[in-house]
């Protein structure tokens, strides 16, 4: 018997329910979603986006999408990183983080507005190309989670 995935837990899917049985036919999608979570939040090589920064960004994205359960999950992830205390940042690092936040907000709230100029702004703030890709992956995944959770909650309530 397979273990329940984060998405199933957060959507409040009861084991053995009709929805759980329906999802069992999509077990590979659920497994891959769980693996994607782990890959974007706690990758072995985080690059210039630490595990704490990733969890903080995911928390912010979940909050912007008004998903309290997902927000709480990512707050827990952030606490586990041990990176929750404010540390003094240099001016260049402060600019880099501010650019990352602006870009993450745009990808969450108005992704259609993204242009090449936004990527150039990240580069100008000192964000390396691999980290720009990592940021896009994180935003895409968290926003995917939000939409899947919303759909599953609607299905769960429509019995």
């Amino acid at each position: 018997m397979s273990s329940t995935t984060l998405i199933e837990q957060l959507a409040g899917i009861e084991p053995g329910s009709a929805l759980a049985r329906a999802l069992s036919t999509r077990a590979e999608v659920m497994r891959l979603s769980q693996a994607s979570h782990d890959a974007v939040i706690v990758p072995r090589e985080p690059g210039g986006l630490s595990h704490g920064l990733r969890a903080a960004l995911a928390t912010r994205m979940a909050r912007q999408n008004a998903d309290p359960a997902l927000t709480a999950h990512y707050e827990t992830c952030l606490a586990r990183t041990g990176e929750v205390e404010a540390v003094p940042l240099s001016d260049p690092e402060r600019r880099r983080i501010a650019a990352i936040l602006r870009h993450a907000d745009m990808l969450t709230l108005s992704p259609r507005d993204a242009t090449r100029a936004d990527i150039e702004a990240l580069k100008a703030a000192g964000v390396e190309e691999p980290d720009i890709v990592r940021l896009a992956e994180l935003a895409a995944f968290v926003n995917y989670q939000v939409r899947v959770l919303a759909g599953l909650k609607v299905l769960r309530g429509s019995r």
Side-chain angles (χ1 to χ4, degrees), residues 6 10 34 37-38 40-42 50-59 69-84 138 141-142 145:
L6 175 65
L10 295 179
Q34 187 66 45
H37 168 276
D38 299 345
V40 299
I41 298 299
V42 288
S50 71
H51 293 151
L53 179 56
R54 288 164 184 264
L57 290 167
T59 300
L70 193 59
T71 299
H73 166 72
Y74 283 123
E75 286 172 341
T76 300
C77 289
L78 177 57
R80 283 185 190 140
T81 69
E83 297 179 39
V84 294
L138 176 66
F141 179 72
V142 173
Q145 273 185 309

Side-chain angles (χ1 to χ4, degrees), residues 47-138:
L49 301 180
S50 71
H51 293 151
L53 179 56
R54 288 164 184 264
L57 290 167
T59 300
R60 184 178 176 110
M61 292 170 194
R63 188 173 290 123
Q64 288 170 332
N65 277 290
D67 191 315
L70 193 59
T71 299
H73 166 72
Y74 283 123
E75 286 172 341
T76 300
C77 289
L78 177 57
R80 283 185 190 140
T81 69
E83 297 179 39
V84 294
E85 292 191 29
V87 294
L89 299 174
S90 65
D91 284 339
E93 184 61 8
R94 198 173 6 264
R95 283 190 299 276
R96 188 179 89 82
I97 297 296
I100 287 170
L101 287 171
R102 275 190 305 274
H103 198 72
D105 289 351
M106 181 188 52
L107 292 176
T108 299
L109 301 171
S110 55
R112 290 182 180 178
D113 295 342
T115 66
R116 183 76 189 152
D118 297 306
I119 301 300
E120 295 306 321
L122 285 168
K123 289 179 182 178
V127 182
E128 300 291 328
E129 279 192 35
D131 292 327
I132 294 170
V133 172
R134 290 178 181 109
L135 177 58
E137 290 170 341
L138 176 66

